[in-house]
Amino acid sequence: MNRLSKMLFTASLVVASSATAMAQSADPPADGTGTEVNGEAGATVETTTDSTTTTDPNAVPESSPDADAVAPAGALPPLSMGAGKILIAGSTLNIGMSSGAVGEPISLAPSIWYGISDVLSIGVVHDGGTTPWTPRPAVRTATIPVMGSAPIVITAGSGICLSGEEKGCPKVYDNVGLDVLFGLKNEALSLAVHGGVDALSFDALTLQLRAGLLGRLSIGKNLTLAFDPRILVGLTERDFNKEAVDLPAWLWFDISTTLSVYLHSGISAPFDGFADSFAIPVQAGASFKVSEKLTVGGDFSFPNLLGKGSSSDSRTLGIRAAFAI
């Protein structure tokens, strides 16, 4: 753990220093646009000098002139949090629901974020860097090297594993990650650099680099497309921790200003042997705004319903919450 802490701390300093320098070099807006805190997942909401207030699919600021109105395309909050804001999010209770193994494992994957500036946010995560726009409950698969033989693949819970060794928890705690968001633009198409470093397992320290781009496209009054493509690069234990690609997407539909539902799919696979091992998940879920600071949600996922070796027997249930401070 000592070596892991040093590596993650060093990585966070490098990323934060670089991104902060980019933020400081950016020109301030010339049109009077500012930001204000939105209760949904601690995001910021763009406000203008004409007193028009914007919103996201799951939250409407108290200052909105019409709390029942649905925001027009391009009026959603930035993808980054905002300076000085704290977000406890991605706090997903992951429950394995696979055939013959319901409740194996059960784990809690908490995340905490801090807004260093209006465009830069850094978080400690246990879920591979999901966001309120890109939920993905998951049962973690870890590859463990074995001296003198081939590595073995185990199924385990992400973050704090609660169900015990006999039900998918070889260890109570065996993964953590550093996640970074740097906002690039907030328009009908919003973009943010999204990357991080994950320790997939503390045994024979297995580190993986994530590099990608979080995006959100307003399709109309009620539809929003979110996407989070990334490249994964193994930093240690390269015999089995190799390069992979992950191309996920979420289509959100706003039922009201407090309730949104979505469908999710995509494709992921290692570069080596892509055609023989690609996975295509199918997932559905919803988010509900309880208050200006609290949003809750639920998700049900088939991790590989349509890919190579597809099966409906593998399933995961997620129960999540996001609280902004």
Side-chain angles (χ1 to χ4, degrees):
M1 283 294 294
N2 186 44
R3 181 165 60 139
L4 169 63
S5 299
K6 290 181 178 179
M7 294 183 74
L8 286 180
F9 181 71
T10 302
S12 67
L13 288 179
V14 171
V15 174
S17 298
S18 301
T20 303
M22 292 174 64
Q24 291 174 343
S25 64
D27 292 332
D31 58 359
T33 299
T35 57
E36 143 184 338
V37 178
N38 183 303
E40 163 62 17
T44 55
V45 178
E46 188 174 276
T47 59
T48 61
T49 53
D50 64 1
S51 300
T52 300
T53 305
T54 60
T55 184
D56 71 4
N58 302 322
V60 177
E62 293 179 346
S63 59
S64 173
D66 183 358
D68 296 323
V70 178
L76 299 173
L79 296 172
S80 52
M81 285 176 48
K85 305 306 174 185
I86 297 175
L87 174 66
I88 302 173
S91 301
T92 304
L93 184 66
N94 298 310
I95 305 172
M97 300 292 290
S98 296
S99 178
V102 174
E104 301 180 16
I106 299 174
S107 66
L108 181 65
S111 300
I112 184 166
W113 289 78
Y114 178 72
I116 294 178
S117 71
D118 285 341
V119 295
L120 175 63
S121 302
I122 290 184
V124 176
V125 301
H126 297 88
D127 53 13
T130 66
T131 73
W133 289 96
T134 59
R136 276 197 293 181
V139 172
R140 183 173 59 93
T141 299
T143 304
I144 307 298
V146 178
M147 187 69 68
S149 62
I152 60 173
V153 178
I154 63 169
T155 299
S158 298
I160 305 168
C161 206
L162 305 172
S163 53
E165 187 172 352
E166 294 182 356
K167 294 187 177 181
C169 293
K171 290 189 174 183
V172 174
Y173 187 72
D174 195 38
N175 76 291
V176 70
L178 169 75
D179 202 63
V180 177
L181 271 173
F182 185 84
L184 299 176
K185 60 183 295 188
N186 182 51
E187 300 172 2
L189 173 62
S190 299
L191 297 172
V193 174
H194 189 200
V197 179
D198 296 305
L200 305 179
S201 176
F202 299 149
D203 287 330
L205 185 60
T206 308
L207 293 178
Q208 185 180 71
L209 174 70
R210 286 183 284 108
L213 187 71
L214 176 64
R216 186 190 60 215
L217 176 64
S218 297
I219 301 175
K221 212 162 95 163
N222 299 89
L223 283 178
T224 303
L225 177 68
F227 49 92
D228 194 16
R230 59 184 70 180
I231 300 294
L232 310 173
V233 179
L235 301 178
T236 63
E237 300 298 328
R238 294 277 303 161
D239 288 344
F240 57 84
N241 183 27
K242 296 184 178 179
E243 290 74 20
V245 63
D246 185 19
L247 305 172
W250 293 256
L251 183 63
W252 287 89
F253 177 74
D254 307 335
I255 295 177
S256 70
T257 55
T258 57
L259 178 63
S260 296
V261 297
Y262 74 86
L263 288 174
H264 157 64
S265 190
I267 186 169
S268 62
F271 285 127
D272 186 11
F274 185 100
D276 296 325
S277 55
F278 67 92
I280 299 178
V282 174
Q283 177 180 311
S287 288
F288 179 75
K289 177 193 167 188
V290 177
S291 69
E292 292 300 319
K293 293 184 177 294
L294 176 64
T295 299
V296 298
D299 318 283
F300 192 84
S301 174
F302 295 92
N304 187 23
L305 187 62
L306 302 174
K308 189 74 172 180
S310 60
S311 172
S312 61
D313 291 338
S314 179
R315 303 179 289 265
T316 306
L317 173 66
I319 301 172
R320 55 188 159 81
F323 185 76
I325 300 175

